[in-house]
Amino acid sequence: MQILVNGEPVATDASTLAELCAKLGFTEAKVATAVNGCFVASAQRALTPLAPKDEIEIVAPRQGG
Amino acid sequence: MFEIYGERFASRLLLGTAQYPSPATLKEAVEASSAEIVTVSLRRESARMRAGQGFWELIEELGVSVLPNTAGCHTAKEAVATAEMARELFDTPWIKLEVIANDDTLQPDLFGLVEAATILVADGFKVLPYTTEDLSAAEKLASAGCTVLMPWASPIGSARGLINRDGLKTLRAYFPDKTLIIDAGIGAVASGRGDGARL
């Protein structure tokens, strides 16, 4: 299915957000996630199913003011 | 002493972490400034670049308190989701709440700000709202449970200094016990500090 990850189209067969993070290499990374504009805590990623056209945000700490 | 939600700090300086030429320079600046709080942000992480991971290691090494922000958010909903992500990433209930009205002036959207602050305070956040000197907005933020306000001096990055000194003095008069952090447009640190002290 096609989804958007950080605004970019991605084809994936991941059925959950945790699977998607693993496929993208983020399992051990310091990241936070949201699906369709709603925060998903790390402990909930394995319980969060993905659907076509979902919009996923994966963010990390960064410099700011 | 300077207090933020019950925590006391010897330094009144909050240091941004953006636009340093290198991580080493950032580290040196934080150490030289004696700032005990640095502001940080969130960005989309690329699976290839992993830019955030190194930054996180640097922040941990610095051993200072971090104040994450919701920079770039234009709606209360976006700001709330970003705050929730920041709380998990940085393990702090503090959030510098920014809801931006437009990209030219980076003026705070005071309506969205109050809406987001109300939601976040109810969810246990310690909210530091980036606001203007507008008293009605400040009163609503205070009613929502914000004990710290971050009024701008002038638009972000403009370096115009305190363009509405009377408005800031009014805020101080109405909220003698609140921590007010003048946040944007200050210009040179020395002049900003001097101006702030005279409010």
Side-chain angles (χ1 to χ4, degrees):
Chain A
M1 65 181 164
Q2 284 283 338
I3 58 174
L4 283 178
V5 178
N6 289 344
E8 300 291 329
V10 169
T12 184
D13 58 0
S15 60
T16 66
L17 181 58
E19 269 185 54
L20 177 72
C21 288
K23 284 174 186 289
L24 294 174
F26 286 127
T27 302
E28 301 297 323
K30 188 82 177 167
V31 293
T33 51
V35 175
N36 299 325
C38 296
F39 168 63
V40 178
S42 58
Q44 296 298 312
R45 287 177 199 153
L47 305 173
T48 303
L50 297 183
K53 299 184 182 175
D54 272 349
E55 297 182 16
I56 316 298
E57 291 290 323
I58 301 175
V59 301
R62 202 63 54 85
Q63 296 87 339
Chain B
M1 294 292 279
F2 171 64
E3 190 170 315
I4 295 181
Y5 286 101
E7 291 187 50
R8 293 185 162 204
F9 299 91
S11 171
R12 291 168 175 266
L13 181 66
L14 279 69
L15 206 59
T17 54
Q19 298 185 357
Y20 287 84
S22 70
T25 308
L26 168 59
K27 186 167 185 287
E28 286 170 19
V30 172
E31 289 167 353
S33 70
S34 299
E36 296 165 276
I37 303 168
V38 297
T39 52
V40 294
S41 194
L42 302 177
R43 292 285 186 281
R44 287 172 166 176
E45 184 76 327
S46 152
R48 283 178 296 107
M49 301 297 288
R50 303 294 194 95
Q53 310 309 306
F55 178 64
W56 173 245
E57 287 166 19
L58 173 63
I59 290 298
E60 282 195 305
E61 203 178 304
L62 290 171
V64 291
S65 296
V66 294
L67 174 58
N69 67 30
T70 62
C73 292
H74 288 77
T75 65
K77 187 183 176 191
E78 276 181 84
V80 167
T82 301
E84 292 173 313
M85 290 194 281
R87 178 165 64 178
E88 182 177 85
L89 271 184
F90 295 106
D91 194 26
T92 175
W94 288 5
I95 191 72
K96 179 185 168 189
L97 183 60
E98 300 184 30
V99 184
I100 297 303
N102 74 68
D103 286 329
D104 289 333
T105 63
L106 300 176
Q107 162 121 11
D109 171 358
L110 301 179
F111 305 96
L113 186 67
V114 171
E115 182 186 348
T118 304
I119 294 167
L120 291 170
V121 169
D123 191 25
F125 281 87
K126 309 293 188 192
V127 177
L128 293 83
Y130 165 61
T131 185
T132 68
E133 69 281 8
D134 185 89
L135 180 59
S136 62
E139 286 182 318
K140 286 188 165 54
L141 291 165
S143 296
C146 299
T147 66
V148 178
L149 300 173
M150 299 186 78
W152 67 357
S154 50
I156 293 174
S158 69
R160 293 172 62 197
L162 309 186
I163 58 173
N164 186 353
R165 192 179 299 259
D166 287 346
L168 292 170
K169 283 182 174 174
T170 302
L171 278 191
R172 174 46 78 214
Y174 268 81
F175 302 112
D177 300 324
K178 283 200 189 300
T179 296
L180 302 181
I181 302 171
I182 298 179
D183 182 41
I186 293 170
V189 171
S191 69
R193 189 170 53 202
D195 284 346
R198 286 195 296 274
L199 285 176

